[in-house]
Every structure is written in C-alpha cells, then in structure tokens.
C-alpha cells in the first residue's frame, strides 16, 4: 500500500452561496470532510496539502467579506480543524485567498503563505504564485507571479538528499522564468509538480524543455471545469510513495448532485494516474 500517502485537495471554495449543484454550502463542506475521512480510513494519509482557493473571499459577487466575514476563516475553523488528528496540514493561498502574510499565517492557515515540509526523504515545497496586491477590494484572478526559485533552492539545500515535490495553486509554464524552467528540467531530485486553479484533474506533460516532468492537476470540490463526460466531478488527488516509485491518482468521489439535466449520481472513480521513478 506504499510507505507514505499524501492528499492534495484544492479549490474547495467555501462560500456563502445558498446552493451549488443542488447542495447547500454547509452540506458541501461536510461532504468534502466526510470524503477525505473516508479516504483516510481506506488508506491513511501521512500529510495533507491544500494548494489554494479555500474560499471565495476576494470575489465580491459571491462572499460577504466586505461585511467582515471570511469564509476562508470559517473553512479552517469549522472543517479543516476536523481533518484526521495527527496528520500535518499545510494550506497555501490561491487567487481568491489574497490575505496579507500576517493574517494568513496567524488568523487563517497557521502556516506562511509559502512553506515546506518533509516526509521521510521527501520534501514538499508549497509555492505562493499569487503574490499580487494584498488589497481586499482587488480581484487578482489574472495576477500570476513566477515561482520563487530562490526559495526552492534554499529549501532544497537544507535537504540535499531528498526527493522534491512542488505544489502551487497554479503553474503557468508560458509565464515562468527561464531559471525556474532550468531548475525543474535539470535537477532530477524534482520529481513532480501539482496544481489546482483550473478545477480540472488531468495530467499535463511539460515536454523535453522541462525535463519531461508532469503537472498533475488536483481537481476541485466546487465548480467543475472538466465536465461530467470526462469523469471530472468533485474529488482530489493522492500521492502514494514507496521505496522505488511514487504513484499519483485522481480520485473522484461518490456523489449525488443536481446538474442542468437533473439529479445525477457519480460513482467513486480513480484515473489520471502518474508514476514516478525514485
């Protein structure tokens, strides 16, 4: 069953919406938590990574943030706090979580906007790629910032023998620096990249110029972009690590929702599998 299992779950978007696919928001959050706990019971997680968009706090049409209410704060207090005891949880901001560093660390997530953790001989680096204006009146959905190469190198130097996994709310290869591309392509300790933001679950091969590395998308538990035909409804991604390889799968959860065509059931589904040699 693997030496370690890591959960990557993003774009949960706790909001004040009354209804999403026929499900009240509180019920959707409870479903997310129940699905994570069910997967933990199936095969326990050793680490949980949440790469962004825990809320829609900075989307003026969908949240009461201007009234002093943060659904990101509520998500962490009411739902993330009930994740499996003893399992470390790291949460980085997405483009809808534009809190200043001090607020993010002390009042929302409990960790810096950019952070890392170690699991055995594996280092997980969580990158903040939406380091734009920290202004609650500003909607920064298009303000992508390049991956922090200096931070990556600094962390990697601390653990020179570890394998490295990079996660961000979003990676935009066409907007990235040549330095980041060269690092990803040239350093064989970097095994894979994970991102949310797109609300999709597919694997994105980066090609030769990126060392044939893969971006594995982490799906969503909110508004799905992949479409029911592709099996891309609510879910998350795992990474199971053994001594000689790691395997990442997208897990679509069992769910009953209401789509435009009416009540719809999705069976649990595992696909979009990536294998990494160690």
């Amino acid at each position: 069953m693997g030496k370690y299992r890591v959960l990557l779950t993003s774009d949960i978007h706790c909001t004040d919406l009354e209804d999403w696919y026929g499900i009240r928001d509180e019920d959707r959050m409870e479903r997310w938590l129940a699905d994570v706990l069910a997967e933990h019971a199936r095969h326990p997680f050793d680490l949980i990574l949440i790469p962004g968009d825990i809320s829609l706090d900075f989307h003026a049409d969908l949240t009461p943030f201007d009234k002093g209410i943060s659904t990101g704060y509520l998500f962490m207090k009411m739902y993330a706090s009930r994740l499996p005891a003893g399992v470390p949880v790291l949460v980085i901001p997405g483009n809808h979580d534009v809190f200043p560093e001090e607020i993010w660390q002390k009042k929302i997530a409990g960790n810096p906007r950019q952070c890392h953790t170690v699991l055995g001989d594996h280092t997980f680096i969580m990158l903040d790629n939406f380091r734009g204006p920290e202004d609650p009146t500003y909607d920064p959905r298009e303000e992508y910032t390049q991956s922090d190469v200096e931070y990556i190198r600094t962390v990697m130097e601390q653990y020179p023998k570890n394998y490295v996994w990079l996660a961000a709310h979003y990676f935009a290869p066409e907007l990235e620096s040549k330095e980041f591309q060269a690092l990803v392509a040239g350093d064989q300790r970097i095994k894979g990249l994970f991102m949310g933001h797109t609300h999709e679950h597919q694997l994105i091969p980066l090609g030769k110029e990126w060392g044939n590395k893969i971006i594995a998308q982490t799906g969503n538990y909110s508004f799905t972009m992949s479409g029911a035909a592709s099996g891309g409804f609510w879910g998350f991604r795992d990474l199971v690590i053994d001594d000689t390889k790691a395997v990442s799968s997208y897990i679509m959860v069992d769910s009953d929702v209401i789509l435009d065509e009416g009540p719809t059931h999705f069976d649990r589904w595992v696909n979009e599998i990536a294998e990494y040699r160690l």
Side-chain angles (χ1 to χ4, degrees), residues 6-15 20 28-29 32-33 36 45 47-56 75-76 80 83 89-97 104 126-127 130 166-171 193-202 215-226 232-238 249-251 253:
V6 179
L7 171 70
L8 297 109
T9 175
S10 71
D11 298 275
I12 302 159
H13 286 306
C14 181
T15 78
W20 213 331
R28 182 170 59 89
M29 293 299 95
W32 169 80
L33 179 62
V36 171
F45 295 115
L47 175 65
I48 296 174
L49 304 177
I50 305 180
D53 277 5
I54 59 173
S55 72
L56 280 172
F75 168 77
M76 295 301 300
L83 288 167
V89 179
L90 287 182
V91 188
I92 56 171
N95 55 305
H96 290 295
D97 308 310
W104 180 258
M126 302 279 278
L127 298 168
F130 284 93
L166 304 177
H169 183 59
Y170 185 47
F171 287 110
L193 298 83
F194 299 91
M195 76 174 196
H197 187 58
T198 58
H199 294 214
E200 296 184 308
H201 62 277
Q202 294 89 349
I215 298 175
Q217 298 181 107
T218 54
N220 75 97
Y221 213 103
S222 52
F223 177 73
T224 183
M225 299 296 291
S226 296
F233 208 69
W234 291 343
F236 30 67
R237 183 168 286 279
D238 75 351
S249 306
Y250 182 70
I251 302 166
V253 298

Coordinates of all heavy atoms in Angstrom, one line a residue, residues 6-15 20 28-29 32-33 36 45 47-56 75-76 80 83 89-97 104 126-127 130 166-171 193-202 215-226 232-238 249-251 253:
V6 N 0.0 10.9 0.5 CA -0.2 12.4 0.7 C -1.5 12.7 -0.1 O -1.8 12.2 -1.2 CB 0.9 13.1 0.0 CG1 0.7 14.6 0.1 CG2 2.3 12.7 0.7
L7 N -2.3 13.6 0.6 CA -3.6 14.1 -0.1 C -3.3 15.5 -0.6 O -2.7 16.3 0.1 CB -4.7 14.1 0.9 CG -6.0 14.8 0.5 CD1 -6.7 14.0 -0.6 CD2 -6.9 15.1 1.7
L8 N -3.8 15.8 -1.8 CA -3.7 17.1 -2.4 C -5.2 17.5 -2.8 O -5.7 16.9 -3.7 CB -2.8 17.2 -3.6 CG -1.3 16.9 -3.3 CD1 -0.9 15.6 -3.8 CD2 -0.4 18.0 -3.8
T9 N -5.7 18.4 -2.1 CA -7.1 18.8 -2.3 C -7.2 20.3 -2.4 O -6.8 21.0 -1.5 CB -8.1 18.2 -1.2 OG1 -9.4 18.7 -1.4 CG2 -7.6 18.6 0.2
S10 N -7.7 20.8 -3.5 CA -7.7 22.3 -3.8 C -9.1 22.7 -4.3 O -10.0 21.9 -4.5 CB -6.7 22.6 -4.8 OG -7.0 22.2 -6.1
D11 N -9.2 24.1 -4.4 CA -10.4 24.7 -5.0 C -11.7 24.2 -4.3 O -12.6 23.8 -5.0 CB -10.4 24.5 -6.5 CG -9.2 25.1 -7.1 OD1 -9.2 26.3 -7.4 OD2 -8.2 24.4 -7.3
I12 N -11.7 24.2 -3.0 CA -12.8 23.8 -2.2 C -13.9 24.9 -2.2 O -15.1 24.7 -2.2 CB -12.4 23.4 -0.8 CG1 -11.3 22.2 -0.9 CG2 -13.6 22.9 0.0 CD1 -10.5 22.1 0.3
H13 N -13.4 26.1 -2.1 CA -14.3 27.3 -2.3 C -15.5 27.3 -1.3 O -16.6 27.3 -1.7 CB -14.8 27.4 -3.7 CG -13.8 27.9 -4.7 ND1 -13.1 29.1 -4.5 CD2 -13.4 27.4 -5.9 CE1 -12.2 29.2 -5.5 NE2 -12.4 28.2 -6.4
C14 N -15.1 27.3 0.0 CA -16.2 27.5 1.0 C -16.7 29.0 0.8 O -15.9 29.9 0.7 CB -15.5 27.4 2.4 SG -16.7 27.7 3.7
T15 N -18.0 29.1 0.6 CA -18.6 30.4 0.3 C -19.9 30.6 1.1 O -20.3 29.8 1.9 CB -19.0 30.5 -1.2 OG1 -20.2 29.8 -1.5 CG2 -17.9 30.0 -2.1
W20 N -25.1 24.9 -4.5 CA -24.1 24.6 -5.6 C -24.4 23.2 -6.0 O -24.2 22.3 -5.3 CB -22.7 24.8 -5.1 CG -21.8 25.3 -6.1 CD1 -21.8 25.1 -7.5 CD2 -20.6 26.1 -5.9 NE1 -20.8 25.7 -8.1 CE2 -20.0 26.4 -7.2 CE3 -20.0 26.6 -4.8 CZ2 -18.9 27.1 -7.4 CZ3 -18.8 27.4 -5.0 CH2 -18.3 27.6 -6.2
R28 N -22.1 20.8 1.5 CA -21.0 20.5 0.6 C -19.7 20.4 1.3 O -18.9 19.5 1.1 CB -20.9 21.6 -0.5 CG -19.8 21.3 -1.6 CD -19.9 22.3 -2.7 NE -19.9 23.7 -2.3 CZ -18.7 24.4 -2.2 NH1 -17.6 23.8 -2.5 NH2 -18.7 25.6 -1.9
M29 N -19.5 21.3 2.3 CA -18.3 21.3 3.1 C -18.2 20.0 4.0 O -17.2 19.4 4.1 CB -18.2 22.5 4.0 CG -18.0 23.8 3.3 SD -16.4 23.9 2.3 CE -17.0 23.4 0.7
W32 N -17.2 17.2 1.7 CA -15.8 17.2 1.4 C -15.0 16.6 2.6 O -14.2 15.7 2.4 CB -15.3 18.7 1.3 CG -13.8 18.8 1.3 CD1 -12.9 18.5 0.2 CD2 -13.0 19.1 2.4 NE1 -11.6 18.7 0.6 CE2 -11.6 19.1 1.9 CE3 -13.2 19.5 3.7 CZ2 -10.6 19.4 2.8 CZ3 -12.2 19.8 4.5 CH2 -10.9 19.8 4.1
L33 N -15.4 17.0 3.8 CA -14.7 16.4 5.0 C -15.0 14.9 5.1 O -14.0 14.1 5.4 CB -15.2 17.2 6.3 CG -14.6 16.7 7.6 CD1 -13.1 16.9 7.6 CD2 -15.3 17.4 8.7
V36 N -12.9 13.0 2.6 CA -11.5 13.0 3.0 C -11.3 11.9 4.1 O -10.4 11.1 4.0 CB -10.9 14.3 3.4 CG1 -9.6 14.2 4.1 CG2 -10.9 15.3 2.3
F45 N -3.7 8.8 5.4 CA -2.8 9.9 4.9 C -1.7 10.2 5.9 O -2.0 10.2 7.1 CB -3.6 11.2 4.6 CG -4.6 11.0 3.5 CD1 -5.9 11.1 3.7 CD2 -4.2 10.8 2.2 CE1 -6.9 11.0 2.7 CE2 -5.1 10.6 1.1 CZ -6.4 10.7 1.4
L47 N 0.2 13.1 5.2 CA 0.3 14.5 5.0 C -0.9 15.0 4.2 O -1.3 14.3 3.2 CB 1.6 14.8 4.3 CG 1.9 16.2 3.9 CD1 2.1 17.1 5.1 CD2 3.2 16.3 3.0
I48 N -1.4 16.2 4.5 CA -2.5 16.8 3.7 C -2.0 18.1 3.2 O -1.6 19.0 4.0 CB -3.8 16.9 4.5 CG1 -4.3 15.5 4.9 CG2 -4.8 17.7 3.7 CD1 -5.5 15.5 5.8
L49 N -2.0 18.3 1.9 CA -1.7 19.6 1.3 C -2.9 20.2 0.6 O -3.6 19.5 -0.2 CB -0.6 19.4 0.3 CG 0.7 18.7 0.8 CD1 1.7 18.5 -0.4 CD2 1.4 19.5 1.9
I50 N -3.2 21.5 0.9 CA -4.3 22.2 0.3 C -3.7 23.4 -0.5 O -3.5 24.4 0.1 CB -5.3 22.7 1.4 CG1 -5.8 21.5 2.2 CG2 -6.5 23.3 0.7 CD1 -6.8 21.8 3.3
P51 N -3.6 23.2 -1.8 CA -3.0 24.3 -2.6 C -3.9 25.3 -3.1 O -4.1 25.6 -4.3 CB -2.3 23.5 -3.8 CG -3.0 22.2 -3.9 CD -3.7 21.9 -2.5
G52 N -4.6 26.0 -2.2 CA -5.3 27.2 -2.6 C -6.8 27.2 -2.8 O -7.4 26.1 -3.1
D53 N -7.3 28.4 -2.8 CA -8.8 28.6 -3.0 C -9.7 27.9 -2.1 O -10.5 27.1 -2.5 CB -9.2 28.4 -4.5 CG -8.8 29.6 -5.4 OD1 -8.2 30.6 -4.9 OD2 -9.2 29.6 -6.6
I54 N -9.4 28.1 -0.8 CA -10.3 27.5 0.2 C -11.6 28.3 0.3 O -12.5 27.8 0.9 CB -9.6 27.5 1.6 CG1 -9.2 28.9 2.1 CG2 -8.4 26.5 1.6 CD1 -8.6 28.9 3.5
S55 N -11.6 29.5 -0.3 CA -12.8 30.3 -0.2 C -13.0 31.0 -1.5 O -12.4 30.8 -2.5 CB -12.6 31.3 1.0 OG -11.6 32.3 0.5
L56 N -14.0 32.0 -1.4 CA -14.1 33.0 -2.5 C -14.1 34.4 -1.8 O -14.9 35.2 -2.2 CB -15.4 32.8 -3.3 CG -15.3 31.7 -4.4 CD1 -16.7 31.4 -5.0 CD2 -14.4 32.1 -5.5
F75 N -13.8 28.1 7.0 CA -13.5 26.8 6.5 C -12.4 26.2 7.4 O -12.5 25.0 7.8 CB -12.9 26.9 5.1 CG -12.2 25.7 4.6 CD1 -13.0 24.6 4.2 CD2 -10.8 25.6 4.5 CE1 -12.4 23.4 3.7 CE2 -10.2 24.4 4.1 CZ -11.0 23.3 3.7
M76 N -11.4 26.9 7.7 CA -10.3 26.4 8.6 C -10.8 26.0 10.0 O -10.5 25.0 10.5 CB -9.2 27.4 8.7 CG -8.5 27.7 7.4 SD -7.7 26.3 6.6 CE -6.5 25.7 7.9
A80 N -11.5 22.2 8.2 CA -10.1 21.8 8.2 C -9.7 21.3 9.6 O -8.8 20.4 9.8 CB -9.2 22.8 7.7
L83 N -10.0 17.5 10.2 CA -9.2 16.6 9.5 C -8.5 15.6 10.4 O -8.4 15.8 11.6 CB -8.2 17.3 8.6 CG -8.8 18.0 7.4 CD1 -7.8 19.0 6.8 CD2 -9.4 17.1 6.4
V89 N -1.1 19.4 8.2 CA -1.9 20.0 7.1 C -1.2 21.3 6.8 O -1.0 22.1 7.7 CB -3.4 20.3 7.5 CG1 -4.1 21.0 6.4 CG2 -4.1 19.0 7.9
L90 N -0.9 21.5 5.5 CA -0.4 22.8 5.0 C -1.3 23.4 4.0 O -1.8 22.7 3.1 CB 1.0 22.6 4.3 CG 2.2 22.3 5.3 CD1 3.5 22.2 4.4 CD2 2.4 23.4 6.3
V91 N -1.6 24.7 4.1 CA -2.6 25.3 3.3 C -1.9 26.6 2.7 O -1.4 27.4 3.5 CB -3.8 25.8 4.1 CG1 -4.9 26.3 3.1 CG2 -4.4 24.6 4.9
I92 N -1.9 26.7 1.4 CA -1.4 27.9 0.8 C -2.5 28.6 0.1 O -3.5 28.0 -0.3 CB -0.2 27.6 -0.2 CG1 -0.6 26.6 -1.3 CG2 1.0 27.2 0.5 CD1 0.4 26.5 -2.4
P93 N -2.4 29.9 -0.2 CA -3.4 30.7 -0.8 C -3.5 30.5 -2.3 O -2.5 30.2 -2.9 CB -3.1 32.2 -0.4 CG -1.6 32.1 -0.3 CD -1.2 30.8 0.2
G94 N -4.8 30.7 -2.8 CA -5.0 30.7 -4.2 C -5.3 32.2 -4.6 O -5.1 33.1 -3.8
N95 N -5.7 32.4 -5.8 CA -6.0 33.7 -6.3 C -7.3 34.3 -5.6 O -7.5 35.5 -5.7 CB -6.2 33.7 -7.8 CG -7.3 32.8 -8.2 OD1 -7.2 31.6 -7.9 ND2 -8.2 33.2 -9.0
H96 N -8.0 33.5 -4.9 CA -9.2 34.0 -4.1 C -8.9 34.1 -2.6 O -9.8 34.3 -1.8 CB -10.4 33.2 -4.4 CG -11.0 33.3 -5.8 ND1 -11.5 34.5 -6.2 CD2 -11.0 32.4 -6.8 CE1 -11.9 34.4 -7.5 NE2 -11.6 33.1 -7.8
D97 N -7.6 33.9 -2.2 CA -7.3 34.0 -0.8 C -6.2 35.0 -0.6 O -5.1 34.7 -0.1 CB -6.7 32.6 -0.3 CG -7.7 31.5 -0.7 OD1 -8.8 31.6 -0.4 OD2 -7.2 30.5 -1.2
W104 N -2.8 35.7 7.0 CA -2.8 34.3 6.5 C -2.2 33.4 7.6 O -2.8 32.3 7.9 CB -2.1 34.2 5.2 CG -2.1 32.8 4.7 CD1 -1.1 31.9 4.7 CD2 -3.2 32.2 4.0 NE1 -1.5 30.7 4.1 CE2 -2.8 30.9 3.7 CE3 -4.5 32.6 3.7 CZ2 -3.6 30.0 3.0 CZ3 -5.3 31.7 3.0 CH2 -4.9 30.4 2.7
M126 N 5.6 24.2 -1.0 CA 4.4 24.8 -1.4 C 4.6 26.3 -1.8 O 5.1 27.1 -0.9 CB 3.4 24.8 -0.2 CG 3.1 23.4 0.3 SD 1.9 22.5 -0.7 CE 0.4 23.2 0.0
L127 N 4.4 26.6 -3.0 CA 4.8 27.9 -3.6 C 3.6 28.9 -3.7 O 2.5 28.5 -4.0 CB 5.4 27.7 -5.0 CG 6.7 26.9 -5.0 CD1 7.0 26.5 -6.5 CD2 7.8 27.6 -4.4
F130 N 0.6 33.6 -6.3 CA -0.3 34.8 -6.5 C 0.1 35.8 -5.4 O -0.7 36.2 -4.5 CB -1.8 34.3 -6.3 CG -2.3 33.7 -7.6 CD1 -2.2 32.3 -7.7 CD2 -2.8 34.4 -8.6 CE1 -2.7 31.6 -8.8 CE2 -3.2 33.8 -9.8 CZ -3.2 32.4 -9.9
L166 N 6.9 19.8 -5.9 CA 6.5 21.2 -5.9 C 5.0 21.3 -6.1 O 4.4 20.6 -7.0 CB 7.1 22.0 -7.1 CG 8.7 21.9 -7.2 CD1 9.2 22.7 -8.4 CD2 9.3 22.5 -5.9
A167 N 4.3 22.1 -5.3 CA 2.9 22.3 -5.4 C 2.6 23.8 -5.3 O 3.3 24.6 -4.6 CB 2.2 21.6 -4.2
A168 N 1.7 24.3 -6.1 CA 1.3 25.7 -6.1 C -0.2 25.7 -6.5 O -0.8 24.7 -7.0 CB 2.1 26.5 -7.2
H169 N -0.8 26.8 -6.2 CA -2.2 26.9 -6.7 C -2.3 26.8 -8.2 O -3.2 26.2 -8.7 CB -2.8 28.3 -6.2 CG -4.3 28.4 -6.6 ND1 -5.2 27.4 -6.1 CD2 -4.9 29.2 -7.4 CE1 -6.4 27.8 -6.7 NE2 -6.3 28.8 -7.4
Y170 N -1.2 27.4 -8.8 CA -1.2 27.3 -10.3 C 0.2 27.4 -10.8 O 1.0 28.1 -10.2 CB -2.0 28.5 -10.9 CG -2.2 28.5 -12.4 CD1 -2.6 27.4 -13.1 CD2 -2.0 29.7 -13.1 CE1 -2.8 27.4 -14.4 CE2 -2.2 29.8 -14.5 CZ -2.6 28.6 -15.1 OH -2.8 28.6 -16.5
F171 N 0.5 26.6 -11.8 CA 1.8 26.8 -12.6 C 1.4 27.2 -14.0 O 0.6 26.5 -14.7 CB 2.6 25.5 -12.6 CG 3.2 25.1 -11.3 CD1 2.8 24.1 -10.6 CD2 4.3 25.9 -10.9 CE1 3.4 23.7 -9.4 CE2 5.0 25.6 -9.7 CZ 4.5 24.5 -8.9
L193 N 5.2 18.0 -10.2 CA 4.5 19.3 -9.8 C 3.0 19.1 -9.7 O 2.4 18.3 -10.5 CB 4.8 20.4 -10.9 CG 6.2 20.8 -11.1 CD1 6.9 19.9 -12.1 CD2 6.3 22.2 -11.7
F194 N 2.4 19.8 -8.8 CA 0.9 19.6 -8.6 C 0.3 21.0 -8.5 O 0.9 22.0 -8.0 CB 0.6 18.9 -7.2 CG 1.2 17.5 -7.2 CD1 2.5 17.3 -6.7 CD2 0.4 16.5 -7.6 CE1 3.0 16.0 -6.6 CE2 0.9 15.2 -7.5 CZ 2.2 14.9 -7.0
M195 N -0.9 21.2 -9.1 CA -1.5 22.5 -9.1 C -3.1 22.3 -9.1 O -3.6 21.3 -9.6 CB -1.1 23.3 -10.3 CG -1.8 22.9 -11.6 SD -1.3 24.1 -12.9 CE -2.6 23.7 -14.2
G196 N -3.7 23.4 -8.6 CA -5.2 23.5 -8.7 C -5.6 24.5 -9.7 O -5.1 24.5 -10.8
H197 N -6.5 25.4 -9.3 CA -6.8 26.6 -10.0 C -7.7 26.4 -11.2 O -8.7 27.1 -11.4 CB -5.6 27.4 -10.5 CG -5.9 28.7 -11.1 ND1 -6.6 29.7 -10.4 CD2 -5.6 29.2 -12.3 CE1 -6.7 30.8 -11.2 NE2 -6.1 30.5 -12.4
T198 N -7.4 25.4 -12.0 CA -8.2 25.2 -13.3 C -9.5 24.4 -13.0 O -10.3 24.2 -13.9 CB -7.3 24.4 -14.3 OG1 -6.9 23.2 -13.7 CG2 -6.1 25.2 -14.7
H199 N -9.6 23.8 -11.8 CA -10.7 22.9 -11.5 C -10.8 21.7 -12.4 O -11.9 21.2 -12.7 CB -12.1 23.7 -11.6 CG -12.2 24.8 -10.5 ND1 -13.4 25.1 -10.0 CD2 -11.3 25.6 -10.0 CE1 -13.2 26.1 -9.1 NE2 -11.9 26.4 -9.1
E200 N -9.6 21.3 -12.8 CA -9.5 20.1 -13.7 C -8.6 19.0 -13.0 O -8.0 19.3 -12.0 CB -9.0 20.4 -15.0 CG -9.9 21.4 -15.8 CD -9.5 21.6 -17.2 OE1 -8.3 22.1 -17.4 OE2 -10.2 21.4 -18.2
H201 N -8.6 17.8 -13.6 CA -7.9 16.7 -12.9 C -6.8 16.1 -13.8 O -6.1 15.1 -13.4 CB -8.9 15.7 -12.5 CG -9.6 15.1 -13.7 ND1 -10.7 15.7 -14.2 CD2 -9.4 13.9 -14.4 CE1 -11.1 14.9 -15.3 NE2 -10.3 13.9 -15.4
Q202 N -6.7 16.5 -15.0 CA -5.8 15.8 -16.0 C -4.3 16.0 -15.7 O -3.9 16.9 -15.0 CB -6.1 16.2 -17.4 CG -7.5 15.9 -17.9 CD -8.6 16.9 -17.6 OE1 -8.3 17.8 -16.8 NE2 -9.7 16.8 -18.2
I215 N 2.8 18.1 -14.7 CA 2.0 18.8 -13.7 C 0.7 17.9 -13.5 O 0.0 17.6 -14.5 CB 1.6 20.2 -14.2 CG1 2.8 21.1 -14.3 CG2 0.6 20.8 -13.2 CD1 2.5 22.5 -14.9
A216 N 0.4 17.5 -12.3 CA -0.8 16.8 -12.0 C -1.8 17.7 -11.4 O -1.5 18.3 -10.3 CB -0.5 15.6 -11.1
Q217 N -2.9 17.9 -12.0 CA -4.0 18.8 -11.6 C -4.8 18.1 -10.4 O -5.0 16.9 -10.5 CB -4.9 19.2 -12.7 CG -4.1 20.0 -13.8 CD -5.0 20.4 -14.9 OE1 -5.3 21.6 -15.0 NE2 -5.4 19.5 -15.7
T218 N -5.2 18.9 -9.5 CA -5.7 18.3 -8.2 C -7.2 18.4 -8.1 O -7.8 18.2 -7.1 CB -5.1 19.0 -7.0 OG1 -5.3 20.5 -7.1 CG2 -3.6 18.7 -6.9
G219 N -7.9 18.8 -9.2 CA -9.4 18.7 -9.2 C -10.0 19.8 -8.4 O -9.5 20.9 -8.3
N220 N -11.2 19.6 -7.9 CA -11.9 20.6 -7.1 C -13.0 19.9 -6.3 O -13.3 18.8 -6.5 CB -12.5 21.6 -8.1 CG -13.7 21.1 -8.8 OD1 -14.9 21.3 -8.4 ND2 -13.5 20.3 -9.9
Y221 N -13.6 20.8 -5.4 CA -14.8 20.3 -4.7 C -15.8 21.5 -4.8 O -16.4 21.8 -3.8 CB -14.5 19.9 -3.3 CG -15.4 18.8 -2.8 CD1 -14.9 17.5 -2.7 CD2 -16.7 19.1 -2.4 CE1 -15.7 16.5 -2.3 CE2 -17.5 18.0 -2.0 CZ -17.0 16.8 -1.9 OH -17.9 15.7 -1.5
S222 N -15.9 22.1 -6.0 CA -16.7 23.3 -6.1 C -17.4 23.3 -7.5 O -18.3 22.5 -7.8 CB -16.0 24.5 -5.8 OG -14.8 24.6 -6.6
F223 N -16.9 24.2 -8.4 CA -17.4 24.2 -9.7 C -16.5 23.5 -10.7 O -15.4 23.8 -10.8 CB -17.6 25.6 -10.2 CG -18.1 25.8 -11.6 CD1 -19.4 25.5 -11.9 CD2 -17.2 26.1 -12.6 CE1 -19.9 25.6 -13.2 CE2 -17.7 26.2 -14.0 CZ -19.0 25.9 -14.3
T224 N -17.0 22.4 -11.2 CA -16.1 21.5 -12.0 C -16.0 22.1 -13.5 O -17.0 22.5 -14.1 CB -16.6 20.1 -12.1 OG1 -15.6 19.3 -12.8 CG2 -17.9 19.9 -12.7
M225 N -14.7 22.1 -14.0 CA -14.5 22.6 -15.3 C -14.3 21.4 -16.3 O -14.3 21.6 -17.5 CB -13.2 23.5 -15.3 CG -13.4 24.7 -14.5 SD -14.7 25.8 -15.1 CE -14.0 26.5 -16.6
S226 N -14.0 20.2 -15.8 CA -13.7 19.1 -16.7 C -14.9 18.5 -17.4 O -14.8 18.0 -18.4 CB -12.9 18.0 -15.9 OG -11.7 18.5 -15.5
G232 N -14.8 14.1 -14.5 CA -14.1 15.1 -13.7 C -14.9 15.9 -12.7 O -14.8 17.1 -12.6
F233 N -15.8 15.2 -11.9 CA -16.5 15.9 -10.9 C -15.7 16.0 -9.6 O -14.5 16.0 -9.6 CB -17.9 15.3 -10.7 CG -19.0 16.2 -10.3 CD1 -19.4 17.2 -11.2 CD2 -19.5 16.2 -9.0 CE1 -20.4 18.1 -10.8 CE2 -20.4 17.2 -8.6 CZ -20.9 18.1 -9.5
W234 N -16.4 16.3 -8.5 CA -15.7 16.5 -7.2 C -14.7 15.4 -6.9 O -15.0 14.2 -7.0 CB -16.7 16.6 -6.1 CG -17.6 17.9 -6.2 CD1 -17.4 19.0 -7.0 CD2 -18.8 18.1 -5.5 NE1 -18.4 19.9 -6.8 CE2 -19.3 19.4 -5.9 CE3 -19.6 17.3 -4.6 CZ2 -20.5 19.9 -5.4 CZ3 -20.8 17.8 -4.2 CH2 -21.2 19.1 -4.5
G235 N -13.6 15.9 -6.4 CA -12.6 14.9 -6.0 C -11.3 15.6 -5.6 O -11.2 16.8 -5.4
F236 N -10.2 14.8 -5.5 CA -8.9 15.3 -5.1 C -7.9 14.3 -5.6 O -8.2 13.2 -6.1 CB -8.8 15.4 -3.5 CG -9.7 14.4 -2.8 CD1 -9.4 13.1 -2.8 CD2 -10.8 14.9 -2.1 CE1 -10.3 12.2 -2.1 CE2 -11.6 14.0 -1.3 CZ -11.3 12.7 -1.3
R237 N -6.6 14.6 -5.3 CA -5.5 13.7 -5.8 C -4.7 13.2 -4.6 O -4.6 13.9 -3.6 CB -4.6 14.5 -6.8 CG -3.5 13.8 -7.4 CD -2.8 14.5 -8.5 NE -3.6 14.6 -9.7 CZ -3.7 13.6 -10.6 NH1 -3.0 12.5 -10.4 NH2 -4.5 13.7 -11.6
D238 N -4.2 12.0 -4.8 CA -3.3 11.5 -3.8 C -1.9 11.2 -4.4 O -1.7 11.3 -5.6 CB -3.8 10.2 -3.1 CG -3.8 9.0 -3.9 OD1 -3.5 9.0 -5.1 OD2 -4.0 7.9 -3.4
S249 N -2.8 9.5 -8.2 CA -4.1 9.2 -8.9 C -5.1 10.3 -8.5 O -5.1 10.9 -7.4 CB -4.7 7.9 -8.4 OG -3.8 6.9 -8.6
Y250 N -6.0 10.6 -9.5 CA -7.1 11.5 -9.2 C -8.3 10.6 -8.8 O -8.6 9.6 -9.4 CB -7.6 12.3 -10.4 CG -8.7 13.3 -10.1 CD1 -8.5 14.3 -9.3 CD2 -10.0 13.0 -10.6 CE1 -9.6 15.2 -8.9 CE2 -11.1 13.8 -10.2 CZ -10.8 14.9 -9.4 OH -11.9 15.7 -9.0
I251 N -8.9 11.0 -7.6 CA -10.0 10.2 -7.1 C -11.2 11.1 -7.1 O -11.4 12.1 -6.4 CB -9.7 9.8 -5.6 CG1 -8.4 9.0 -5.6 CG2 -10.8 9.1 -5.0 CD1 -7.8 8.9 -4.2
V253 N -15.0 11.4 -6.1 CA -15.7 10.8 -5.0 C -17.1 10.4 -5.4 O -17.7 10.9 -6.4 CB -15.8 11.8 -3.8 CG1 -14.4 12.1 -3.3 CG2 -16.6 13.1 -4.2

